Amino acid sequence: MIRVEHLSKEYKIARRKPGLRGAAQNLFHRTYDTKAAVSDVSFSIDQGEMVGYIGANGAGKSTTIKMLCGILTPTAGEVRVAGIVPYKQRQRNARNIGAVFGQRTQLFWDIPARESFNLLKHIYQIPQHRFDENLRTFSDVLELEPLFGRPVRQMSLGEKMRCELAAAFLQDPLVVYLDEPTIGLDVSVKARIRKFIREMNRNRKTTVILTTHDMQDIEEICSRLIMIDAGRLLYDGDLRSVRQRFGNRRTIHFDLATTATDTAMPAQLAPWVFAEWEGREKVHIQFDARQTSASDVIAAMMQSYAVRDLTITDPSIESIVKDIYERGLS
Amino acid sequence: MTVWRYARLYLEFVKQVLKVWLEYRVDFFIGALSTIVIQFASLLFVTVVFEHIQQLNGWSFYQILFIYGIAATGRSIHLIFFDNLWTLGWQYIRTGNFDRLLIRPINPLFHLIADRIQQDGVGQLAIGLVVLIVAATHDGTVWTPASLLLLILLILSSGVIFSAVNLFFATLSFWMVDSLPVMFATFSLSDFARYPLTIYNKGIRVLLTWIIPYGFTAFYPAASILEPAKFGLMALITPLVAAICSVLAYLFWNVGLRAYTSTGN
């Protein structure tokens, strides 16, 4: 469905000289730096796959997605989406794809959602019966009914996102690009959206490419991960091996009530944990849940320090990417 | 085939806009009214000037009014239908919303233009038509169905020229993010074109005729009807100027679009 071969994109950035004199020089003589946003990335994705495309901010995720959508022309390499080169036949490619771009709305700001969908029907030339059928199916999962009469600008983030998803799948696209579809949403809306994406994929074999910072999104939606870092492909494979490696990793952040005099870990914890101090009043402790438990770590810490507050977190995408980058996935 | 499809699609956009207008009736009337007030202010200026002089460089009050009327109606076509060009830089490119237009299976320029229909333009159209009718019935022209038809064609061309020039300078936004200041500067030149070009020196005449052809948005069309012997030819080439401007502006737009897709935002 999607084939990407040796894809690269370089941006030219004007180098600005400092000061007024520099600004004047820039007017007449500009020097450029080239920044490689994506370098020599290759992968191929079959129909019906659900792929998490992840990386830290600025890793080149959205540049890649833009090239897949036909919004950007690559510097080198080749892209084919359903047999079409997107940047050469942008409008034809647009018929095959749907997209949700985080905070930017695909809907029309001022008009009620129902009318927005209706306009999309005309833009994509969706047959009436198909349009009605899709809206009915989508409404069941996304609970769109109460939103139909309202314009996007009067919607909450969650309501808006439900409509965005419906809009992205409305024209029966072959491929859907979802850029941070759950960012800032509450748990129940997130669950609803994930369910919707899974159902679309199961019933229609829609290929889904998802970029997110939410590990839960990936666990529940994707079966495959493609990771990029600094524009280069870092990992391409199934989710299972990543989960085996990182799925049990926890971090507990401790805020201490007093300044610690000794930064060594309690003896019973030392073999199992990795501690990172932030000054002498904060410490982040990483461990593997199979080797020791959160309750043991907390108990031991409480014994040794005056703990004021603590939070437990799953590993972030950034930390996983960083880890794979530094140590590989073996 | 494609034209038919786009025409029907445009109608769908118009339907939506009309629904919004009906929903916000007060906004609609305030918008329309405010343009009428602005128009009145500049009309008042012309009237006051003519209280002191009989003729301006050989042109009578009603003749000047006639030029003014064509300018106002031509401009209103641009204002109603092509107003969104103004927002390309700050509402589409700067915010990244332009990408939304690029992932739709329709022409992005069409989408940009159809995204907005400006209600304030209706007020301008109304006052333009009133001025035109008053002037046309007082300036001594004898009207025939043929000359009326010609007038309509000339006004449409005027609207197209306004829009094409604006499209050309809006396109600069693809390189400079927001070309609004350049668009404003250029558009303000069109104020000169509301008066007989014969009152200006040669430099301005050449500029407004052959470089940024705002002369064809009001003066030449009016003059070709008021003084066919002297300016008749200009009536014939006005639609041609409109067509050439459109083609040039659209080609330039495509160049800009290509630059945008190769550099991104």
Side-chain angles (χ1 to χ4, degrees), chain A residues 266-304:
Chain A
Q268 68 269 42
L269 286 185
W272 315 115
V273 304
F274 173 75
E276 199 182 336
W277 285 87
E278 197 181 317
R280 292 205 158 222
E281 279 160 12
K282 266 187 185 174
V283 59
H284 313 288
I285 296 180
Q286 245 183 51
F287 60 94
D288 188 319
R290 286 167 301 190
Q291 294 172 324
T292 181
S293 71
S295 62
D296 287 346
V297 173
I298 294 170
M301 285 297 288
M302 299 274 253
Q303 259 177 20
S304 310

Side-chain angles (χ1 to χ4, degrees), chain A residues 181-201:
Chain A
T182 62
I183 194 164
L185 302 182
D186 65 50
V187 181
S188 71
V189 180
K190 276 185 181 177
R192 200 183 290 283
I193 283 177
R194 289 171 188 147
K195 182 175 174 223
F196 176 72
I197 297 169
R198 279 197 310 266
E199 279 190 12
M200 283 295 118
N201 172 265

Side-chain angles (χ1 to χ4, degrees), chain B residues 143-160:
Chain B
W143 290 96
T144 63
S147 62
L148 262 180
L149 229 69
L150 177 67
L151 179 66
I152 292 170
L153 177 68
L154 292 176
I155 289 174
L156 289 177
S157 303
S158 163
V160 170

Side-chain angles (χ1 to χ4, degrees), chain A residues 9-11 66 69-73 90-91 94-95 97 99 101 104-108 110-112 115-116 118-120 122-125 151 153-154, chain B residues 5-6 8-9 12-13 15-17 19-20 23-24 95-97 99-108 111 115 257-258 260-265:
Chain A
K9 179 70 197 174
E10 284 174 355
Y11 292 118
K66 278 183 180 181
C69 288
I71 298 170
L72 266 184
T73 310
R90 207 186 51 242
Q91 288 181 39
R95 288 199 174 275
I97 65 170
F101 285 136
R104 292 174 202 157
T105 181
Q106 302 293 313
L107 299 159
F108 299 82
D110 274 326
I111 61 179
E115 310 293 350
S116 253
N118 210 28
L119 258 184
L120 289 175
H122 290 285
I123 288 175
Y124 286 98
Q125 297 177 301
R153 64 183 160 81
Q154 288 177 3
Chain B
R5 186 192 156 209
Y6 277 111
R8 277 201 320 203
L9 192 53
E12 292 300 327
F13 275 87
K15 267 197 223 161
Q16 301 309 330
V17 172
K19 279 182 205 163
V20 176
E23 201 174 330
Y24 301 97
T95 59
N97 271 326
D99 292 353
R100 172 174 68 101
L101 308 191
L102 291 179
I103 56 165
R104 297 268 165 82
I106 55 174
N107 185 306
H111 202 319
D115 256 357
L257 197 58
R258 216 160 325 142
Y260 179 84
T261 56
S262 68
T263 57
N265 181 32

Side-chain angles (χ1 to χ4, degrees), chain A residues 287-327:
Chain A
F287 60 94
D288 188 319
R290 286 167 301 190
Q291 294 172 324
T292 181
S293 71
S295 62
D296 287 346
V297 173
I298 294 170
M301 285 297 288
M302 299 274 253
Q303 259 177 20
S304 310
Y305 298 100
V307 174
R308 191 167 58 83
D309 196 8
L310 62 88
T311 43
I312 307 179
T313 55
D314 289 337
S316 66
I317 297 277
E318 278 81 3
S319 72
I320 293 179
V321 170
K322 188 167 164 240
D323 219 89
I324 293 181
Y325 180 72
E326 282 165 0
R327 278 174 278 189

